[in-house]
């Protein structure tokens, strides 16, 4: 078992393979590529949140010097409207995606793309965009869940009907779907409870906060083949989406991923890539598109705003008896919020005999939402963990003891259905209970909050190739963009299997023509699933090397061992190093290659527990986070520094989400804070040093016990911070963000 194995490289902290290029500025990101004869493109975006498009006149733009092509929604084919699920669980259709790329008949949010222009210079492209004449019939927008669901509300899509209703309805609606799940007799469970807490909560639409804007270059050759360079979390996904939107075969598109300056789920879809391909195909020249920061905020996918009602009950001794929740989430202009995963995750940390979860996916006149680290789970945890905190308070039980008493563990049935295998929630709670942070005294106007969180993690499909160079060094090639340290983890796992120093391993991310299909970098899947493909490829290389050594020594392969990067004879008297075997490859069978391909199941669920201390200025409402500790089960930390970085990064993003971040729209649906100056993300001076504790409960589904770690860290912070502020102020905080005006208003309201 992995807990008994002694590792040479896994668990160490080598310098990241891509570090030097990035700190010296040599790494090539999305906007860094320039090609000969390249055209620059710009996008015309709607100034209205909801309007019919009566007509588009592109003639004035085409008359401008240097303009080579103009496209509108009429230039795109009408793709299938069949519903498909993405890697993060949200539903959508290729037809909806095509209408995100370019509007047809209606614009549905401020910033919705209407047309695109390619010209010789950016100045000419900007001038041409401004010259396009669009005749709009402005309609009333719906900007939140309540107004979208109100009787007589303006309807975004006349053909939309609510999926999941029984009996079905044929009335136009803004509720795209209804999901229900749960188990047990909830009504009976509440009858058995001695204490019941029921609250309503709201969160606002927030952005992932990646620093690099979306960028793409597309070039189409005389053979009709299109090559795309872009910053993405999944270049195979880009290929499939572009082919679907443009009516092309995937064999006609090659996608090369650049370095990526952050994604967090926001770069798991396409916005510019189909436009660049189509403009390149029209002009026969390379075309480049780079979003401004304003466009990133107005026209790409944030995560949903939400409204939820959460009810939980417990007996006097602190045993949970029932939980009931209704969650409503903004999908943006097209269906596909993460409300289903929110329902599945919110009660997952606890053993509750009766649960009922209902989720509503609601369209509003805002950008179509995209994934954001553990999509939906932070909002669900905010509601559930806040009610858990209040239940413990009413019962007079320590909040961690209350959670430990009800914690889910191996062999128990999750609230959303399956039976858990080995998991580490109890271990994270025990660490939190005994951590010096939890025992430290608090001062005036200070409060401490605790919360746990869950994310499934996913497996899915991954490929890896390993090739030996003549000197015994190794190339590891995978198909997953590195957004969180995966090159380092791939190198470490290859070095572990080959038993060679990690600095002899060179990890690379290959394009769609060079490596076998790999699902996107998301769902906390890459170190887990792609790592298994690398291990499989490395083991095949070791088997090949042993066979070659056996042939040279004229012995049976079973008598050849592999130790410390050497083939060793059974008696230990003969050795051949990996370098010697590589140099002799030409006379022992040719190049030495290993391949790995997996469709990984049983990905290994992850749990985290966070402790947060805050200090509140009750005269201004300002909240300062003064201490923060994050504890998480990683299964096995392949590169502990990267794991700690994921834990700290998720906590930082969650703190910002809890305290300040929100999309602010005026009454017409125009975004008022489309930039980092007014969209208030935390900076270094806003945060304390975030303490990390890695727990390792091995995942039996991985050779080394690995679990994904990228998403669980963002699940507890919303609730942990809110619970801390609630204790500091004496007022239960139920609406995010807890910015100074909102906190002050809550204090004054409680009076």
């Amino acid at each position: 078992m992995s807990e008994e194995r002694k590792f040479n490289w896994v668990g160490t902290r080598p310098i990241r393979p891509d570090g030097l290029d990035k700190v010296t500025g040599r790494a090539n990101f999305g906007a860094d590529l320039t090609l000969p004869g390249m055209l620059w493109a710009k996008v015309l975006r709607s100034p209205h949140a909801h309007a019919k498009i009566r007509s588009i006149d592109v003639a004035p733009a085409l008359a401008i010097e240097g303009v080579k092509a103009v496209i509108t929604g009429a230039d795109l084919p009408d793709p299938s409207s069949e519903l498909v699920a993405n890697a993060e669980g949200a539903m959508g259709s290729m037809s909806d995606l095509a209408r995100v790329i370019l509007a047809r008949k209606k614009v549905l949010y401020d910033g919705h793309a209407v047309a695109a222009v390619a010209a010789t210079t950016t100045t000419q492209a900007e001038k041409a965009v401004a010259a396009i004449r669009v005749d709009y019939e402005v309609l009333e927008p719906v900007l939140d869940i309540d107004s979208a669901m109100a009787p007589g509300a303006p309807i975004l899509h006349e053909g939309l009907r609510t999926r999941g209703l029984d009996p079905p309805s044929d009335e136009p609606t803004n509720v795209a779907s209804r999901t229900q799940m749960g188990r047990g007799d909830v009504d009976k469970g509440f009858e058995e409870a001695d204490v019941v807490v029921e609250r309503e909560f709201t969160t606002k639409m927030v952005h992932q906060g990646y620093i690099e804007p979306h960028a793409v270059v597309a070039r189409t050759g005389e053979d009709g083949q299109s090559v795309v360079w872009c910053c993405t979390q999944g270049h195979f996904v880009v290929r499939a989406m572009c082919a679907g939107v443009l009516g092309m075969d995937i064999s006609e598109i090659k996608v090369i991923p650049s370095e990526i300056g952050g994604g967090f789920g926001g770069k798991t879809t396409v916005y510019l890539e189909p436009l660049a391909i189509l403009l390149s195909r029209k002009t026969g020249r390379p075309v480049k598109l780079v979003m401004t920061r304003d466009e990133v905020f107005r026209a790409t996918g944030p995560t949903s705003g939400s409204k939820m009602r959460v009810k939980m009950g417990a007996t006097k001794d602190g045993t949970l008896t029932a939980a009931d929740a209704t969650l409503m989430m903004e999908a943006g202009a097209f269906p596909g919020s993460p409300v289903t995963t929110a329902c599945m995750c919110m009660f997952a940390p606890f053993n509750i005999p009766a649960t009922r979860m209902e989720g509503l996916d609601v369209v509003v006149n805002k950008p179509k939402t995209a994934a954001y680290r553990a999509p939906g789970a932070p909002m669900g945890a905010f509601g559930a963990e806040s009610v858990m905190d209040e239940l413990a308070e009413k019962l007079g039980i320590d909040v961690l003891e209350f959670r430990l008493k009800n914690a889910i563990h191996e062999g128990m049935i999750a609230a959303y259905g399956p039976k858990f295998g080995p998991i580490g929630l109890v271990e994270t709670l025990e660490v939190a209970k005994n951590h010096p942070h939890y025992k430290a005294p608090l001062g005036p106007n200070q409060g401490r909050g605790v919360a746990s969180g869950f994310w499934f993690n996913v497996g899915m499909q991954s490929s890896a190739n390993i090739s030996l160079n003549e000197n015994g060094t190794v190339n590891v090639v995978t198909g997953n963009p590195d957004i969180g340290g995966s090159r380092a983890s791939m190198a470490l796992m290859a070095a572990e299997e080959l038993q060679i120093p990690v600095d002899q391993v060179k990890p690379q991310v290959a394009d769609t023509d060079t490596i076998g299909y790999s699902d996107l970098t998301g769902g906390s899947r890459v170190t887990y699933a792609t790592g298994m493909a690398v291990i499989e490829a490395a083991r095949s290389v070791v088997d090949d090397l042993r066979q070659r050594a056996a042939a040279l020594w004229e012995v049976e392969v079973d008598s050849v061992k592999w130790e410390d990067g050497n083939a060793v004879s059974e008696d230990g008297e003969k050795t051949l190093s990996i370098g010697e075997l590589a140099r002799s490859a030409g006379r022992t069978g040719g190049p030495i290659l290993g391949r790995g391909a997996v469709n990984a199941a049983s990905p290994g669920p992850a749990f985290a527990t966070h402790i947060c201390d805050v200090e509140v200025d009750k005269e201004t409402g300002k909240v300062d986070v003064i201490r923060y500790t994050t504890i998480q089960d990683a299964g096995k930390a392949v590169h502990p520094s990267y794991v700690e970085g994921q834990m700290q990064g998720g906590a930082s993003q969650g703190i910002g989400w809890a305290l300040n971040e929100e999309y602010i729209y005026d009454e017409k649906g125009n975004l008022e804070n489309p930039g980092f100056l007014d969209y208030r993300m935390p900076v270094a001076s806003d945060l304390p040093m975030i303490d990390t504790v890695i727990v390792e409960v091995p995942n039996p589904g991985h050779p080394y016990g690995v679990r994904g770690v990228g998403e669980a860290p963002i699940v507890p912070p919303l609730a942990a911070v809110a619970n801390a502020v609630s204790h500091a102020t004496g007022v239960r905080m139920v609406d995010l963000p807890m910015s100074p005006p909102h906190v002050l208003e809550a204090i004054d309201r409680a009076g």
Side-chain angles (χ1 to χ4, degrees):
M1 257 313 278
S2 51
E3 65 264 38
E4 300 169 356
R5 178 168 178 171
K6 301 298 181 184
F7 293 101
N8 293 317
W9 289 105
V10 167
T12 63
R13 303 172 185 253
I15 294 172
R16 57 190 295 167
D18 54 323
L20 284 174
D21 276 354
K22 286 181 175 173
V23 299
T24 58
R26 292 189 179 95
N28 290 315
F29 291 86
D32 288 334
L33 181 67
T34 301
L35 296 178
M38 189 177 75
L39 301 175
W40 294 85
K42 291 290 180 181
V43 178
L44 175 67
R45 301 191 179 277
S46 169
H48 306 294
H50 196 192
K52 291 181 180 178
I53 300 174
R54 291 194 184 108
S55 64
I56 304 176
D57 183 3
V58 302
L62 288 168
I64 293 173
E65 181 183 0
V67 172
K68 304 300 180 182
V70 180
I71 56 174
T72 68
D75 293 286
L76 297 180
D78 192 12
S80 167
S81 59
E82 180 182 354
L83 288 171
V84 293
N86 67 19
E88 306 287 358
M91 299 297 292
S93 73
M94 203 61 74
S95 176
D96 288 348
L97 178 61
R99 288 184 289 163
V100 170
I101 302 305
L102 282 174
R104 308 183 193 194
K105 297 182 180 178
K106 287 177 78 175
V107 291
L108 293 163
Y109 52 92
D110 171 30
H112 199 166
V114 175
V117 173
T120 306
T121 68
T122 55
T123 301
Q124 291 168 337
E126 288 168 355
K127 187 177 179 181
V129 162
I132 297 172
R133 300 192 190 102
V134 185
D135 183 14
Y136 294 104
E137 179 187 337
V138 179
L139 305 172
E140 180 185 352
V142 289
L143 300 173
D144 57 44
I145 289 166
D146 287 339
S147 61
M149 295 177 65
I155 297 296
L156 273 68
H157 307 283
E158 289 296 331
L160 186 65
R161 303 293 183 268
T162 306
R163 289 184 296 108
L165 286 184
D166 188 17
S169 171
D170 196 38
E171 293 294 318
T173 181
N174 290 322
V175 179
S177 66
R178 178 176 180 262
T179 301
Q180 278 192 302
M181 62 187 74
R183 60 177 179 143
D185 188 333
V186 172
D187 294 334
K188 182 182 177 184
F190 283 120
E191 289 174 6
E192 295 171 352
D194 296 308
V195 177
V196 174
V197 172
E198 183 172 8
R199 290 276 189 181
E200 286 194 356
F201 301 87
T202 65
T203 69
K204 296 293 174 55
M205 185 173 272
V206 300
H207 193 263
Q208 297 88 348
Y210 43 83
I211 301 301
E212 180 196 22
H214 296 255
V216 60
V217 175
R219 182 190 68 198
T220 301
E222 285 72 12
D223 59 356
Q225 296 290 307
S226 294
V227 181
V228 179
W229 293 263
C230 60
C231 49
T232 177
Q233 291 180 235
H235 39 306
F236 289 91
V237 171
V238 170
R239 183 180 69 176
M241 288 181 170
C242 289
V245 167
L246 297 173
M248 297 171 63
D249 192 276
I250 61 169
S251 63
E252 298 177 293
I253 302 172
K254 172 182 176 180
V255 183
I256 303 170
S258 68
E259 291 290 351
I260 182 170
F264 311 110
K267 292 178 181 171
T268 57
T269 186
V270 294
Y271 299 103
L272 303 179
E273 291 85 350
L275 301 179
I277 292 173
L278 186 53
L279 288 167
S280 177
R281 294 177 80 82
K282 277 182 167 287
T283 61
R285 294 169 64 173
V287 173
K288 183 172 186 174
L289 266 163
V290 180
M291 280 191 178
T292 63
R293 185 67 61 191
D294 179 277
E295 288 179 299
V296 170
F297 273 96
R298 292 171 60 220
T300 68
T303 195
S304 305
S306 70
K307 181 177 181 180
M308 69 195 97
R309 179 195 54 79
V310 182
K311 180 181 179 182
M312 300 178 74
T315 58
K316 290 178 182 177
D317 69 350
T319 302
L320 291 172
T321 61
D324 184 21
T326 298
L327 290 83
M328 295 161 278
M329 287 195 175
E330 297 173 352
F334 298 95
S337 76
V339 70
T340 300
T341 50
C343 289
M344 296 169 75
C345 291
M346 65 185 304
F347 298 129
F350 305 112
N351 180 34
I352 310 173
T355 59
R356 179 171 55 211
M357 295 84 80
E358 178 186 31
L360 301 177
D361 183 38
V362 184
V363 293
V364 294
N365 289 117
K366 297 177 182 177
K368 168 70 182 75
T369 58
Y372 182 15
R373 279 183 106 154
M379 298 86 109
F382 169 49
E385 294 286 327
S386 294
V387 170
M388 284 288 291
D389 192 76
E390 193 168 357
L391 272 174
E393 192 174 26
K394 289 183 179 296
L395 290 164
I397 302 175
D398 175 84
V399 292
L400 281 176
E401 291 291 353
F402 184 45
R403 284 169 169 80
L404 277 164
K405 183 176 181 67
N406 295 284
I408 201 91
H409 55 74
E410 183 178 0
M412 288 184 171
I413 304 296
Y416 63 94
K419 181 184 289 187
F420 278 122
I423 51 175
L425 174 62
V426 170
E427 286 79 358
T428 69
L429 289 165
E430 291 284 4
V431 169
K433 177 183 166 185
N434 296 304
H435 196 281
H437 181 173
Y438 194 63
K439 300 175 181 179
L442 290 167
N445 300 322
Q446 294 180 356
R448 177 167 297 143
V450 168
S452 295
F454 163 80
W455 185 247
F456 318 87
N457 299 334
V458 296
M460 305 171 65
Q461 301 174 85
S462 287
S463 300
N465 295 338
I466 292 180
S467 59
L468 236 62
N469 298 316
E470 300 91 323
N471 62 354
T473 58
V474 175
N475 296 319
V476 176
V477 182
T478 63
N480 285 106
D482 181 358
I483 63 171
S486 57
R487 272 179 290 215
S489 60
M490 298 305 114
L492 284 164
M493 286 185 274
E496 194 68 52
E497 289 299 320
L498 297 170
Q499 299 181 38
I500 61 175
V502 72
D503 59 10
Q504 292 182 21
V505 180
K506 183 179 181 181
Q508 302 173 55
V509 179
D511 60 64
T512 53
D513 282 4
T514 306
I515 189 70
Y517 180 86
S518 297
D519 281 306
L520 56 73
T521 299
S524 302
R525 61 169 296 275
V526 176
T527 293
Y528 166 74
T530 307
M532 284 201 290
V534 167
I535 291 169
E536 183 179 290
R539 288 177 177 175
S540 71
V541 168
V542 169
D543 289 343
D544 189 4
L545 292 169
R546 289 175 54 242
Q547 289 171 5
R548 292 174 190 243
L552 289 169
W553 293 334
E554 299 181 341
V555 298
E556 293 295 322
V557 67
D558 288 345
S559 69
V560 179
K561 298 176 288 184
W562 189 259
E563 296 177 351
D564 298 325
N566 299 284
V568 182
S569 63
E570 194 170 26
D571 58 14
E573 294 189 0
K574 297 178 184 177
T575 64
L576 282 169
S577 71
I578 192 170
E580 290 170 324
L581 287 164
R583 285 189 290 274
S584 67
R587 52 190 176 86
T588 60
I592 299 169
L593 305 170
R595 294 180 177 86
V598 301
N599 188 6
S602 306
F607 290 87
T609 298
H610 291 195
I611 311 169
C612 173
D613 290 357
V614 301
E615 184 169 298
V616 180
D617 185 332
K618 293 184 179 179
E619 292 187 356
T620 65
K622 184 176 186 292
V623 177
D624 290 312
V625 177
I626 56 176
R627 189 170 183 179
Y628 203 99
T629 300
T630 166
I631 305 150
Q632 184 170 325
D633 174 20
K636 176 62 185 177
V638 176
H639 192 302
S641 295
Y642 272 121
V643 173
E644 291 162 355
Q646 291 283 2
M647 294 164 70
Q648 292 166 329
S652 300
Q653 288 178 306
I655 290 168
W657 192 343
L659 292 182
N660 286 297
E661 295 182 40
E662 63 176 314
Y663 273 36
I664 301 172
Y665 286 90
D666 65 19
E667 68 281 358
K668 294 181 179 180
N670 296 117
L671 184 61
E672 294 188 313
N673 59 334
F676 287 139
L677 182 64
D678 296 312
Y679 181 86
R680 180 75 168 84
M681 288 174 58
V683 296
S685 59
D686 294 318
L687 299 169
M689 292 299 294
I690 295 172
D691 193 13
T692 58
V693 182
I694 300 173
V695 171
E696 294 184 322
V697 176
N699 170 23
H702 188 278
Y704 300 165
V706 168
R707 300 179 195 274
V709 298
E711 288 169 285
I714 203 172
V715 181
L718 278 62
V721 178
N723 289 338
V725 175
S726 297
H727 292 306
T729 60
V731 179
R732 179 55 54 180
M733 305 303 296
V734 295
D735 300 307
L736 300 185
M738 294 175 290
S739 57
H742 294 165
V743 172
L744 197 59
E745 181 184 352
I747 293 172
D748 291 343
R749 196 166 53 238

